[in-house]
C-alpha cells in the first residue's frame, strides 16, 4: 500500500476531471514551510494536519510532495483502500522514510500498524491528515502507544482561503476564458 507520490496523485492530476490538483497552490505557503521544517527536525516524528472535508488537505500534501527534494529521505504515501498490515509494512525503508497517511480519521487499524512499526524504527516520520474531530482520538492513540507529545507537531486547522487567495485560484482556473 506504500506508493510514490506520483502514483498516489495520478488520478488527482487528470485534467479531464472537474475536481483535480493541477492548479498551483495558493494561500498555504506557511503550511508548506511547516512541512519542510518538520521533515528537517531531529525531534519531531509525527505531523498532524487537521481540516474539514474539501478544505485542501490533499492539495497541500500534493504541493508538499511535488517540491519535496530531500535526497536523504524516501517519501511514501499510503494508497487509499489498501490496508496496512504487519506483513506489508516491512516493505517500508527502515531508515529515513516519511510516510503520508491522508484521511487518517477513516483508517484506525492502519494507524495502529504504522505506530507499531514506528516504535521499532525511530527514523520513520509520519504525516497524517484528518478531520478536526479525529485529532483528539489520534492524540489518545499516540499517548497510549507511548509517543511523547514533543515528538508530535500539530498544525493549526486548515481554514478557508482568504478573499485574495480565492481570486488568485479563480484566475488560474478561469484563466483568459472569461475575461
Amino acid at each position: 500500500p506504500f506508493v510514490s507520490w506520483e502514483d498516489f496523485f495520478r488520478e488527482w492530476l487528470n485534467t479531464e476531471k472537474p475536481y483535480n490538483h493541477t492548479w498551483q497552490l495558493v494561500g498555504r505557503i506557511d503550511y508548506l514551510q511547516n512541512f519542510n521544517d518538520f521533515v528537517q527536525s531531529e525531534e519531531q516524528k509525527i505531523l498532524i494536519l487537521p481540516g474539514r472535508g474539501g478544505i485542501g488537505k490533499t492539495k497541500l500534501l500534493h504541493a508538499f510532495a511535488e517540491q519535496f527534494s530531500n535526497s536523504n529521505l524516501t517519501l511514501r504515501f499510503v494508497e487509499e483502500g489498501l490496508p496496512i498490515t504487519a506483513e506489508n509494512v516491512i516493505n517500508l525503508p527502515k531508515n529515513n522514510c516519511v510516510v503520508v497517511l491522508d484521511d487518517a480519521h477513516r483508517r484506525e487499524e492502519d494507524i495502529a500498524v504504522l505506530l507499531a512499526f514506528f516504535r521499532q524504527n525511530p527514523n520513520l516520520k509520519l504525516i497524517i491528515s484528518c478531520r478536526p474531530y479525529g485529532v483528539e482520538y489520534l492524540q489518545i492513540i499516540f499517548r497510549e502507544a507511548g509517543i511523547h507529545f514533543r515528538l508530535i507537531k500539530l498544525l493549526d486547522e486548515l481554514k478557508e482561503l482568504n478573499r485574495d487567495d480565492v481570486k488568485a485560484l479563480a484566475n488560474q482556473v478561469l484563466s483568459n476564458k472569461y475575461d
Side-chain angles (χ1 to χ4, degrees):
F2 305 102
V3 296
S4 69
W5 72 269
E6 295 93 346
D7 288 339
F8 183 82
F9 286 104
R10 189 170 317 282
E11 286 300 311
W12 289 99
L13 299 176
N14 181 348
T15 57
E16 299 299 313
K17 292 185 176 187
Y19 188 74
N20 63 65
H21 288 318
T22 58
W23 313 111
Q24 182 181 2
L25 183 72
V26 295
R28 308 287 195 207
I29 302 306
D30 53 336
Y31 281 90
L32 276 181
Q33 186 59 53
N34 276 302
F35 276 69
N36 291 321
D37 292 346
F38 165 75
V39 168
Q40 298 303 320
S41 170
E42 293 290 325
E43 185 173 84
Q44 297 171 329
K45 300 296 181 181
I46 299 172
L47 181 140
I48 303 172
L49 172 65
R52 70 163 176 79
I55 197 68
K57 297 181 302 294
T58 304
K59 174 59 183 167
L60 182 58
L61 291 172
H62 172 256
F64 166 70
E66 197 171 42
Q67 56 90 46
F68 183 84
S69 64
N70 190 319
S71 61
N72 295 325
L73 296 171
T74 303
L75 181 63
R76 289 289 176 257
F77 279 72
V78 179
E79 189 73 63
E80 181 73 29
L82 296 176
I84 300 173
T85 65
E87 291 77 30
N88 63 30
V89 77
I90 61 172
N91 294 324
L92 279 173
K94 306 263 185 293
N95 289 311
N96 303 326
C97 184
V98 179
V99 176
V100 180
L101 180 61
D102 196 17
D103 290 333
H105 55 278
R106 294 186 284 149
R107 304 192 68 167
E108 296 173 20
E109 299 83 19
D110 294 333
I111 293 169
V113 176
L114 274 175
L115 288 179
F117 187 73
F118 175 83
R119 285 191 305 270
Q120 297 169 1
N121 299 281
N123 291 328
L124 180 71
K125 287 184 171 265
L126 300 175
I127 295 176
I128 298 173
S129 77
C130 67
R131 301 283 169 87
Y133 63 79
V135 171
E136 187 176 335
Y137 175 74
L138 287 171
Q139 290 174 321
I140 291 169
I141 290 175
F142 298 150
R143 188 170 41 253
E144 289 175 352
I147 297 171
H148 197 278
F149 72 91
R150 284 191 326 257
L151 301 177
I152 302 168
K153 180 174 189 153
L154 174 60
L155 297 182
D156 292 336
E157 182 179 336
L158 201 58
K159 298 288 188 184
E160 301 288 337
L161 293 172
N162 66 37
R163 187 173 183 83
D164 290 338
D165 293 335
V166 169
K167 284 182 181 180
L169 182 57
N171 282 333
Q172 280 186 63
V173 174
L174 299 175
S175 64
N176 296 329
K177 293 178 188 177
Y178 300 97
D179 280 346

